[in-house]
Amino acid sequence: MIKGGDFNLPPFLAAENLKPFLPNDIEVTSRPVQFMGVGGLAYGYRAELLSVVCQVYQDARDDGVLLPSQVAAADVCKLLFRGFATVGIVALVDEATGYQEVRDRLALRKILDAFLRKELAAWAQRFPSEFYREMFRLRKWDWPPLNMRTPRAVAGYTKDLVYARLAPDLLKELEERNPVNEKGRRRAKHHMWLSDDVGLPALAQHLHAVIALMRASDTWEGFRALVDRALPIRTQLSDLPLFADSEDAA
């Protein structure tokens, strides 16, 4: 422990009764850092300092040297210690400041970058015919479809059962990369944007699971209940026209 030093301690640690409990590296851990705040550049402290502050206040309380004006802060520190034990210091600060949403977006961006390729691939058969044959059986449609034209709902079912359940926001990203043109057609099939190392293997595995659930079902409603339980949707689809597009979504 140190008794204080020539540097400027943060005001919440500068009280004389707290100095005996400061760690030796307090000059480093309490050094202000610059960050971009709402109104521009600002100064603050690293999240890890919070655990140091809580420990100092806890030690001072245990030794009976807390001032009456410090009791409320010590109570807050006790509550924070409980939070540290479950979610970690940085995560707790991220949640309190709203940065967790930024971290989530960055993590999601990495996931989508892994799932998707930079350039469109050549077409190849990716959806087994059994996927559509089982869909037609459960919907009580004729197979093969008359005049080889599939019902318009097939595209929506495909997006809902497959792309919406592979990864968060994957369907939204695909819709943006592969939009419908003025004639209601797409430039390519959605799966042509999936990466060889992550996206396509994930698609194949997912289709295998979906087809297995189809085989085990006698009705469309029973199948939907199974797939919603086993392979839940990974993103919100309320703003997506699932059943409005033509059959070229797959």
Side-chain angles (χ1 to χ4, degrees), residues 32-44:
V33 294
Q34 192 177 54
F35 65 96
M36 181 62 69
V38 176
L41 289 177
Y43 288 89

Side-chain angles (χ1 to χ4, degrees), residues 5-231:
D6 295 333
F7 61 95
N8 292 323
L9 284 167
F12 44 83
L13 291 176
E16 290 297 324
N17 65 314
L18 299 179
K19 289 182 178 180
F21 307 100
L22 298 177
N24 292 326
D25 62 347
I26 189 63
E27 183 175 2
V28 175
T29 57
S30 66
R31 185 174 299 153
V33 294
Q34 192 177 54
F35 65 96
M36 181 62 69
V38 176
L41 289 177
Y43 288 89
Y45 301 97
R46 296 186 183 278
E48 290 79 4
L49 179 63
L50 193 53
S51 66
V52 176
V53 173
C54 290
Q55 188 64 62
V56 168
Y57 275 80
Q58 187 63 46
D59 291 344
R61 165 173 272 170
D62 291 343
D63 272 23
V65 298
L66 277 182
L67 300 176
S69 60
Q70 296 170 334
V71 172
D75 290 341
V76 173
C77 287
K78 184 177 181 180
L79 293 175
L80 287 172
F81 257 141
R82 294 176 183 173
F84 298 160
T86 57
V87 300
I89 301 166
V90 175
L92 199 66
V93 173
D94 285 350
E95 182 69 24
T97 59
Y99 187 67
Q100 181 62 44
E101 296 181 6
V102 177
R103 288 164 58 95
D104 290 346
R105 286 198 297 272
L106 293 176
L108 177 59
R109 184 69 260 166
K110 290 182 179 180
I111 292 173
L112 293 178
D113 286 345
F115 262 85
L116 300 172
R117 62 175 72 243
K118 301 300 183 184
E119 297 180 357
L120 196 63
W123 182 88
Q125 182 70 43
R126 300 296 180 185
F127 281 70
S129 60
E130 187 177 10
F131 172 78
Y132 294 107
R133 185 170 65 247
E134 287 293 326
M135 180 189 294
F136 275 57
R137 176 182 68 83
L138 293 170
R139 294 299 293 149
K140 301 186 184 304
W141 293 332
D142 291 331
W143 180 267
L146 297 176
N147 301 321
M148 300 306 292
R149 293 184 63 84
T150 60
R152 291 172 62 86
V154 169
Y157 290 153
T158 301
K159 291 190 290 184
D160 175 35
L161 294 173
V162 180
Y163 297 112
R165 300 169 193 262
L166 279 178
D169 280 359
L170 178 62
L171 177 57
K172 180 180 177 181
E173 185 79 10
L174 286 169
E175 299 270 286
E176 292 177 356
R177 293 194 185 194
N178 194 34
V180 174
N181 61 22
E182 63 277 3
K183 296 182 180 180
R185 310 291 294 183
R186 297 185 188 277
R187 174 189 174 194
K189 306 298 184 183
H190 276 348
H191 65 73
M192 295 167 67
W193 283 104
L194 298 180
S195 62
D196 292 327
D197 55 343
V198 176
L200 289 176
L203 173 65
Q205 183 179 17
H206 182 83
L207 285 172
H208 180 78
V210 171
I211 292 171
L213 295 175
M214 286 175 162
R215 290 174 183 165
S217 303
D218 293 324
T219 65
W220 179 253
E221 293 74 18
F223 162 67
R224 291 305 302 257
L226 287 177
V227 78
D228 285 342
R229 184 182 308 121
L231 304 167

